[in-house]
Amino acid sequence: MSRKKWIVRNGNKENATTIAEKLGVSPYAALIASTRGINTVDEAKEFFGLGERKSVDPMDFPDMYAAVKRIQRALDDFERIAIYGDYDADGVTSTALLYSYLEMQGADVVYYVPNRHTEGYGLSYEAIDKLSRMGVRLIITVDNGISAIEEAKYIKELEMELIVTDHHLPTDTLPQAVAVVDPHRADCNLDFKDYAGVGVAYKLVCALEGEENGVTDSYTDLVTIGTVADVMPLIKENREIVRRGVPMIADSDRAGIQALVEVAGLADRKINSGSVAFGICPRINAAGRMGSAERAIRLLLSEDYDEALVIAQEINDENIQRQQTEQDILKQAQAQIKAHPQWQYMNVLVVSGEEWHDGVVGIVASRLVEKYGKPTIVITTDGENAKGSGRSIEGFNLYEALCRCESCLTHFGGHTLAAGVGLKSSDIDAFRKAINDYADKTEMPYPVQQIDFKLNPACVNTEMLETVEQLEPFGAGNPQPIFGLYNMTITDIQPIGNGKHLRITLERNGVSIPAIMFRIVQAELPFIKGDVVDAAVLLEANEYLGQVRVSILLKNLKLHDMVEEDLFSSMRDFSMLMRGKTEGFDASLLMPQRETTVQVYKFIRAAGRWNYDIETLCHRLDLWAEDYGQVAVSVEAMLETGVLARDENRGLVAPPKSGKVNLQEAPVLVRLTELLKGSAQ
């Protein structure tokens, strides 16, 4: 659990009051909506789904008319059409949607999805050759194709034609095609452009139909899954589609979705956007990550429930395998970070392993970002070649960073917060240095814990659950609200779930709140009974025997009395010192007083072992936030001189003394002393 900077969102109370009164929604829901930019009654009607249904005219998309005209000609002439998709949930749902629609229109249609492991992303010459031999006359890409400049030329050489539908950012050059339907084209004038690939495919179907009707509405469930899976912002038309699609998934007439709901254990539960995000989407993605995405398409197209259930169970088994593979790689990556203590001071983490499964390295990167609070790239090697996936934090543009390191890479691509890389295995160390050299020249952000609403513990009740429900559906652009419970005293800590999770009881003004913190063992929790903390929590409904109660899920905890501005400033200065920097910080603020070092040593010796962070150590010693750097330097100096040591789990211990030690000879104190002398001259 990385230390995050807590930020409380600000809403417009006056506007929220007006919205609540005029629309009859919860005042709390209106205020939280205000923190997300909803400040007029008209905006609120759209946000809460109380206004007229609005949708963008599909013919406003660039090249949509040309795409419709060419597809209609292919239908009239019974030309063979190939839908060329992608192996993730967005690509799978896009493929299933367009294929099923064209098949319903009587088309001679096939689909093709490349294998993630053997073919990679997007159009390939081998696949194009295969489709040509199959007699395909028209290729329609979904969720890919915008960057296939050379492949598009090859399609033309083979006397086939191409329609691109995509939602990724184009370069300055568009593929040579009959039509390139992408809302991110420079000549696109749409107000809203953040559709998933399946959203663009859906608008193509709407254009072919000539209007939105019962036929197009029947695909809303597929659009919902792809949109949620690809983490598209749930605003504007995306929000309206997902709002309609979630109930369709709960009561689907698709055998494949029924089977997925069953194997995911959602059949007897209320399905919401969270159920889709964490129950349905990972299983569809698992098919492409661990094997072939083709089975996921067959599942969504199946009309036989028994057949669908068999496929769904296979995919569910692969999802379990994916989770285990992910955990295995995560453990290896964490062990690698522990084995290189200096990495903890780097701004960007780069870890690598031989033949790590390339289908899960991106997920592992996300887990490491959450744990360490740093942009992270996880690389898998296969002999001389390596490839990896990276995730970032808000404020650090990962794609821009990779652009500055391209001399170390064979190829790369991606976005601000997520990217992929290819490189030679021998260049991994050089790449680690290059990306951290770039990061050292930027103002690195801190990971942020957003708080939507400061909540009085007395208000944690079922009425607040109704507030949360009014804000559905949740996802990117409209996350599930996180409430802040401030100045809470920990009164009890109990392991649950065979010790894998914790139940932590928080109390203030006589109100006791039992909260669950998942995936943390008691030995990793730096807090004890009596600590006064701030808690970031989710509120969820828990129905048992017909009675609805509030479940409080702990997302984050921090000490209440630490001044964050002072804390993060001191943490930054210490990190710069440990990275060998000589400027950009005040060395005098890091030089520990002798009394501080003695206090730290005596505390750790008396405790027997200290396995927690420096911030909590400052708290136990009754020191201030700005003392973080001095305490950290004291610990480092004592480690360097053997006064303290690390045990097998990286915990701090005080070994038996073996003679007198001159702490001033510790390298960290020598560096500090030299810096202070230099600044004095």
Side-chain angles (χ1 to χ4, degrees):
M1 184 170 60
S2 69
R3 183 59 163 92
K4 297 181 179 180
K5 190 172 186 177
W6 288 42
I7 296 178
V8 180
R9 297 177 186 267
N10 291 316
N12 188 311
K13 292 183 179 179
E14 185 177 342
N15 289 348
T17 299
T18 300
I19 288 169
E21 290 174 350
K22 294 206 170 185
L23 299 185
V25 299
S26 159
Y28 297 126
L31 186 57
I32 293 172
S34 175
T35 69
R36 298 170 186 195
I38 309 300
N39 281 305
T40 70
V41 172
D42 286 342
E43 289 171 342
K45 280 183 179 179
E46 181 180 355
F47 181 83
F48 289 108
L50 301 174
E52 293 183 6
R53 174 176 162 182
K54 295 180 181 179
S55 60
V56 174
D57 186 341
M59 301 310 293
D60 288 343
F61 280 68
D63 279 3
M64 186 65 85
Y65 177 78
V68 169
K69 186 178 178 181
R70 179 64 183 88
I71 292 170
Q72 287 176 337
R73 178 158 65 86
L75 289 171
D76 291 341
D77 296 344
F78 203 61
E79 294 178 287
R80 175 158 286 187
I81 303 170
I83 312 301
Y84 197 103
D86 187 28
Y87 39 69
D88 67 0
D90 187 14
V92 164
T93 50
S94 302
T95 305
L97 186 157
L98 191 54
Y99 174 86
S100 59
Y101 174 77
L102 291 177
E103 186 183 49
M104 185 177 67
Q105 303 305 308
D108 179 9
V109 60
V110 297
Y111 63 82
Y112 188 92
V113 177
N115 184 288
R116 179 188 201 115
H117 312 288
T118 59
E119 297 176 86
Y121 172 79
L123 285 162
S124 67
Y125 294 107
E126 293 79 8
I128 294 168
D129 285 338
K130 183 175 181 180
L131 294 175
S132 177
R133 291 194 296 270
M134 291 170 61
V136 169
R137 306 305 306 154
L138 176 64
I139 297 174
I140 307 174
T141 70
V142 288
D143 192 32
N144 75 97
I146 196 66
S147 60
I149 310 301
E150 297 304 319
E151 292 83 355
K153 294 177 183 177
Y154 187 61
I155 288 171
K156 192 174 182 179
E157 288 175 10
L158 295 182
E159 299 183 343
M160 294 186 288
E161 290 188 299
L162 172 67
I163 293 173
V164 171
T165 76
D166 202 350
H167 72 127
H168 294 98
L169 297 176
T171 62
D172 294 337
T173 303
L174 296 178
Q176 294 181 15
V178 173
V180 178
V181 183
D182 189 321
H184 293 289
R185 282 178 50 163
D187 58 349
C188 178
N189 297 317
L190 292 171
D191 291 331
F192 178 72
K193 301 184 179 185
D194 290 327
Y195 295 91
V198 70
V200 179
Y202 173 71
K203 299 307 284 190
L204 174 60
V205 167
C206 292
L208 288 164
E209 274 293 293
E211 62 178 350
E212 290 194 51
N213 53 32
V215 173
T216 59
D217 281 350
S218 68
Y219 296 111
T220 309
D221 51 354
L222 295 178
V223 186
T224 294
I225 293 170
T227 300
V228 171
D230 226 42
V231 202
M232 291 293 104
L234 296 192
I235 58 176
K236 302 294 185 180
E237 192 169 11
N238 283 350
R239 183 167 176 78
E240 174 60 30
I241 288 171
V242 173
R243 180 184 282 115
R244 289 187 283 124
V246 167
M248 282 185 64
I249 292 168
D251 189 28
S252 180
D253 58 2
R254 292 185 200 277
I257 290 181
Q258 291 174 11
L260 274 175
V261 168
E262 178 66 33
V263 300
L266 300 173
D268 298 322
R269 300 183 187 180
K270 183 176 181 179
I271 292 180
N272 55 26
S273 54
S275 311
V276 177
F278 300 108
I280 303 296
C281 298
R283 286 167 170 80
I284 295 178
N285 273 325
R289 290 185 188 280
M290 306 304 293
S292 169
E294 194 271 338
R295 284 167 309 143
I297 297 173
R298 282 196 291 116
L299 173 67
L300 294 178
L301 296 176
S302 176
E303 297 179 356
D304 182 283
Y305 180 75
D306 291 335
E307 175 194 54
L309 195 59
V310 171
I311 300 173
Q313 189 58 60
E314 290 176 0
I315 290 175
N316 188 66
D317 292 343
E318 288 201 330
N319 189 52
I320 294 171
Q321 181 188 350
R322 186 269 304 170
Q323 291 171 324
Q324 185 58 57
T325 302
E326 173 194 325
Q327 285 301 311
D328 291 344
I329 295 174
L330 181 62
K331 287 178 181 177
Q332 293 177 56
Q334 289 174 326
Q336 194 174 121
I337 293 168
K338 280 186 177 181
H340 296 82
Q342 71 276 21
W343 288 4
Q344 66 182 300
Y345 306 114
M346 291 182 172
N347 285 319
V348 181
L349 287 174
V350 178
V351 295
S352 63
E354 187 176 352
E355 295 186 351
W356 283 352
H357 198 296
D358 61 349
V360 302
V361 291
I363 305 175
V364 174
S366 295
R367 299 283 184 265
L368 293 173
V369 169
E370 182 63 26
K371 182 174 179 63
Y372 297 101
K374 301 171 185 285
T376 302
I377 298 167
V378 180
I379 297 171
T380 174
T381 63
D382 183 8
E384 295 181 355
N385 298 313
K387 58 183 175 178
S389 186
R391 299 292 184 270
S392 191
I393 61 175
E394 290 289 344
F396 184 80
N397 189 322
L398 185 57
Y399 181 78
E400 177 64 25
L402 294 177
C403 289
R404 303 300 181 90
C405 306
E406 60 181 337
S407 62
C408 301
L409 305 171
T410 57
H411 62 274
F412 67 94
H415 306 286
T416 301
L417 296 176
V421 299
L423 67 166
K424 293 295 183 183
S425 300
S426 56
D427 288 336
I428 292 174
D429 289 340
F431 170 62
R432 181 183 294 108
K433 182 179 185 304
I435 197 167
N436 275 285
D437 285 347
Y438 166 78
D440 271 340
K441 297 180 179 68
T442 67
E443 184 69 30
M444 287 298 294
Y446 296 109
V448 169
Q449 175 64 70
Q450 294 280 5
I451 301 295
D452 291 280
F453 195 84
K454 280 189 174 182
L455 189 62
N456 188 315
C459 295
V460 178
N461 50 38
T462 53
E463 289 183 19
M464 196 56 67
L465 288 179
E466 295 172 7
T467 292
V468 172
E469 189 171 354
Q470 287 179 3
L471 295 161
E472 282 270 11
F474 299 125
N478 183 48
Q480 187 172 349
I482 293 183
F483 297 93
L485 297 172
Y486 283 71
N487 199 18
M488 306 292 293
T489 300
I490 296 178
T491 59
D492 193 29
I493 302 171
Q494 290 293 332
I496 59 174
N498 296 321
K500 295 179 181 178
H501 318 294
L502 294 177
R503 179 185 289 112
I504 301 173
T505 305
L506 308 169
E507 185 176 303
R508 192 178 97 202
N509 296 335
V511 178
S512 186
I513 303 287
I516 304 298
M517 187 169 242
F518 288 112
R519 293 182 294 278
I520 184 170
V521 299
Q522 192 157 5
E524 295 174 345
L525 187 75
F527 308 107
I528 59 175
K529 293 180 186 179
D531 280 345
V532 180
V533 298
D534 300 331
V537 302
L538 297 175
L539 304 183
E540 296 190 347
N542 180 20
E543 186 171 348
Y544 182 69
L545 297 177
Q547 186 175 5
V548 177
R549 296 180 180 176
V550 184
S551 284
I552 301 101
L553 306 182
L554 266 171
K555 300 299 290 182
N556 214 330
L557 282 172
K558 72 176 179 69
L559 292 164
H560 177 69
D561 57 1
M562 283 288 173
V563 180
E564 286 201 319
E565 185 176 344
D566 294 341
L567 175 68
F568 281 105
S569 177
S570 192
M571 290 172 66
R572 181 204 62 200
D573 290 354
F574 175 68
S575 181
M576 291 180 71
L577 172 71
M578 295 303 292
R579 291 202 307 277
K581 301 302 170 186
T582 58
E583 55 185 24
F585 62 97
D586 188 342
S588 66
L589 297 178
L590 295 176
M591 182 62 80
Q593 301 293 319
R594 182 179 184 279
E595 293 78 8
T596 301
T597 304
V598 171
Q599 195 178 2
V600 170
Y601 173 73
K602 286 183 176 179
F603 178 85
I604 294 174
R605 186 180 64 182
R609 182 174 185 269
W610 183 256
N611 194 39
Y612 308 118
D613 53 69
I614 299 297
E615 178 188 357
T616 313
L617 181 57
C618 289
H619 173 69
R620 296 281 176 263
L621 297 172
D622 201 24
L623 297 173
W624 299 100
E626 61 261 33
D627 295 322
Y628 178 99
Q630 294 188 25
V631 172
V633 169
S634 294
V635 169
E636 183 64 24
M638 286 188 280
L639 284 169
E640 290 175 345
T641 54
V643 175
L644 293 179
R646 296 278 188 187
D647 64 14
E648 66 278 3
N649 294 314
R650 302 288 300 162
L652 290 170
V653 294
K657 289 185 178 180
S658 57
K660 194 170 182 179
V661 171
N662 183 358
L663 210 61
Q664 296 306 312
E665 294 178 353
V668 67
L669 291 179
V670 171
R671 288 203 306 276
L672 263 180
T673 301
E674 290 174 350
L675 287 173
L676 289 171
K677 286 180 180 177
S679 63
Q681 293 176 354

